[in-house]
Amino acid sequence: DQNGADWSPMQIGQFLALLPFCPDAWGRATALLGQEEREYWTRTVANPYECEAVMDQAVDRLVEHGRPWAAVRCLHRTLLLKQALDTERASRTLLAAIGSSEDARSMDTHEAIAVIKALEGDSTTDPDDLFRVEWAYLPILNEHHDAAPLFLWRRLASEPPFFCEVIRLVF
């Protein structure tokens, strides 16, 4: 059938994944696939450089469908476009990426560090979220000369009980 009425959700998802990664494709995925949106979100390359729109919807859907590193890439693009970063969404996405089974080749530590640094520089970031992110990314933050777990250091310096707790964890 030429209008696609006989296409399976998988075929529709594969087709939509060939379109530029932008709100138009995301809306079509919702309209054509409904509950089967996974067929699009798991197949799309999710290239945020094809889009200059706000990517909050894409970030949420990618995380929901097991692609948090692709979502981190979208958050990084948000920063490059100088768009407002939703700090709660960014923290949630970074934490989802740590435990992800997504292909390790999808991980870009430089993009993750850029998002973490943006969180550190934003006064609206929830301190508990920032602590969890810095703790989770501590090995990566320690490897890069231009990044540091700033909030974690401040907390270690200003809260003796926390300092003692970390010492106990280490030893």
Side-chain angles (χ1 to χ4, degrees):
D1 186 328
Q2 290 192 2
N3 66 12
D6 293 337
W7 288 17
S8 71
M10 181 186 78
Q11 291 169 320
I12 295 169
Q14 285 177 316
F15 175 75
L16 292 174
L18 297 172
L19 298 175
F21 187 70
C22 62
D24 184 48
W26 312 334
R28 288 175 192 270
T30 300
L32 296 173
L33 293 168
Q35 296 296 319
E36 302 289 331
E37 267 188 284
R38 174 176 216 43
E39 299 295 342
Y40 169 74
W41 292 104
T42 58
R43 285 180 171 75
T44 182
V45 174
N47 179 0
Y49 294 92
E50 297 176 336
C51 180
E52 293 195 10
V54 174
M55 290 187 240
D56 292 350
Q57 176 189 5
V59 169
D60 291 345
R61 291 295 186 279
L62 288 165
V63 170
E64 177 184 336
H65 295 290
R67 304 209 35 221
W69 284 111
V72 170
R73 201 167 41 252
C74 291
L75 291 171
H76 182 253
R77 176 71 171 150
T78 296
L79 294 174
L80 294 177
L81 292 171
K82 299 190 183 328
Q83 295 172 344
L85 183 69
D86 180 326
T87 59
E88 184 180 333
R89 176 176 281 112
S91 297
R92 189 174 56 245
T93 301
L94 286 165
L95 291 171
I98 285 294
S100 169
S101 61
E102 188 176 6
D103 187 349
R105 291 174 294 183
S106 300
M107 183 174 104
D108 186 321
T109 57
H110 297 287
E111 291 172 343
I113 287 172
V115 175
I116 292 168
K117 288 170 74 172
L119 289 175
E120 290 172 337
D122 190 326
S123 63
T124 65
T125 303
D126 180 276
D128 291 331
D129 288 347
L130 185 53
F131 167 73
R132 284 192 293 278
V133 167
E134 286 185 348
W135 186 260
Y137 284 84
L138 191 57
I140 294 170
L141 290 170
N142 282 336
E143 288 176 3
H144 292 270
H145 301 299
D146 63 337
L150 302 176
F151 182 78
L152 185 60
W153 286 350
R154 272 181 269 173
R155 192 164 172 194
L156 283 168
S158 65
E159 296 180 26
F162 176 68
F163 177 82
C164 292
E165 183 180 334
V166 170
I167 295 296
R168 278 191 298 255
L169 282 172
V170 171
F171 298 103

